[in-house]
Amino acid sequence: MRLYLDFKHLLLLAELADTGSMVETAERLHVSPSALTHRLREAESRLGVLLAARDGRHLILTPAGRSLAKAARSLVQDLYNAEQAAKRIGQGVTSLVRMACGYYNDYRWFPAVVKSAAAIDPGLQLELVPHVWDRPLAALEANDADVIVFPSAEPPVGFWSVPVLQDELVLVMAPGHPLEATTAVEASDLISHSYVNYWFANHPVSGFEYDRFFGPAKIIPNQFYMLHSLEAVLELVKAHLAISILSRWAIQPQLDAGTLTARPLTRDGIPIVWHSVARETSRDNQAVVLVQREIASSFAVTAKSRKPGETGQVALSLPSANLRT
């Protein structure tokens, strides 16, 4: 098998597809623009096809160039993964599980998982994956992570989902807010209040307050705002500037500290369940099985630490039947 291009040509095309600029690509690759221009012409000469064409200030890849760039990205990622695997082997690491927390980015459960997993399997390395908190299922499908913990109304279809914590959506407010006197909040109670929504995903997520609280009542607060930052939402609520609807477990530290207070939604409440989710094919991966089990155990400890008689107290569902050892 004869290859006409070297790795340096493929790397150039992969970066050029992202930047559309020879100057910016040169900065990324720490090579002069003139050297990259020569490299591009060399690749085109070897293949006998045009790979990029100038459009004003930008270099646009041709269909042939885009095809090579797509393959180059995959190759670069595979090589990076192989290098990291080689380094882990040299360090005595026998398996890797990439983890994340979806939607609320709450990692109170993580230290216990690290400690217990290391005691059981010293060769297991746990790695936190950034930038997937707003797209947990897409990240699993794209193989960007192996296990992601997040809340939902129903178990995700097509994945290996282990329920680890029974939770509920609650109205969150500052202590002393007029709605604090309400035992169960209805949508109509919020019409005249300033409401800030924690918009934790860039796409609609079913099973939360819109589908199960505002939607059935056909009511939306008159003053309605959306923020992508949970920290910003909490600060506005603490300052008596707004109220919000959030996961009780996610804000439990603030409730325990007395900086926030919460009330159930409707008399029946609106339950959600935190799941530890992996790809269905991971059921035979012993490292993922171990992590799933230890996540469940970590949430069990969290559940036991709740105050007796607390409204909306969590109840753990241990997934022993779903775990293979």
Side-chain angles (χ1 to χ4, degrees), residues 170-174 234 237 242-246 251 260-263:
V170 292
L171 181 72
V172 183
M173 67 202 91
L234 295 179
V237 173
I243 55 177
S244 188
I245 292 175
L246 300 167
I251 61 161
L260 292 175
T261 187
R263 291 295 179 268

Side-chain angles (χ1 to χ4, degrees), residues 69-306:
K70 181 179 179 181
R73 285 197 195 97
S74 178
L75 176 61
V76 170
Q77 185 63 52
D78 287 345
L79 286 174
Y80 173 80
N81 292 341
E83 288 180 349
Q84 296 303 308
K87 290 172 63 177
R88 289 193 295 270
I89 292 172
Q91 296 167 356
V93 176
T94 57
S95 55
L96 169 70
V97 176
R98 300 161 300 162
M99 308 168 65
C101 188
Y103 301 156
Y104 282 94
N105 234 3
D106 191 317
Y107 287 93
R108 280 174 287 160
W109 50 271
F110 186 63
V113 173
V114 172
K115 184 176 181 179
S116 59
I120 297 171
D121 183 1
L124 172 61
Q125 178 175 313
L126 301 180
E127 179 178 293
L128 285 181
V129 180
H131 312 308
V132 302
W133 63 273
D134 59 341
R135 53 181 187 92
L137 295 182
L140 289 170
E141 289 176 335
N143 197 29
D144 293 332
D146 301 307
V147 178
I148 302 183
V149 178
F150 62 95
S152 61
E154 300 290 340
V157 177
F159 295 86
W160 177 25
S161 178
V162 176
V164 295
L165 190 77
Q166 182 70 44
D167 194 9
E168 66 173 330
L169 293 176
V170 292
L171 181 72
V172 183
M173 67 202 91
H177 191 280
L179 290 176
E180 188 177 11
T182 307
T183 56
V185 179
E186 301 294 338
S188 57
D189 297 328
L190 309 188
I191 291 180
S192 61
H193 294 277
S194 179
Y195 178 85
V196 58
N197 172 249
Y198 173 42
W199 191 246
F200 51 68
N202 292 321
H203 55 85
V205 178
S206 61
F208 288 85
E209 61 267 30
Y210 291 108
D211 295 338
R212 303 167 66 191
F213 185 65
F214 291 125
K218 298 181 179 179
I219 290 175
I220 293 292
N222 294 332
Q223 300 180 55
F224 185 93
Y225 308 95
M226 293 192 299
L227 289 174
H228 282 285
S229 168
L230 177 60
E231 291 77 9
V233 170
L234 295 179
E235 291 305 317
L236 287 175
V237 173
K238 289 177 185 178
H240 293 263
L241 295 175
I243 55 177
S244 188
I245 292 175
L246 300 167
S247 150
R248 176 182 285 277
W249 186 79
I251 61 161
Q252 193 59 49
Q254 289 82 5
L255 297 179
D256 292 342
T259 57
L260 292 175
T261 187
R263 291 295 179 268
L265 302 179
T266 76
R267 294 179 180 178
D268 297 328
I270 299 183
I272 55 175
V273 178
W274 287 76
H275 294 87
S276 180
V277 184
R279 286 177 294 278
E280 187 66 39
T281 54
S282 296
R283 288 181 181 271
D284 295 323
N285 184 321
Q286 292 302 305
V288 174
V289 170
L290 169 61
V291 169
Q292 289 275 57
R293 183 173 58 207
E294 296 311 310
I295 289 174
S297 297
S298 176
F299 271 91
V301 172
T302 302
K304 291 177 181 178
S305 69
R306 297 288 295 275

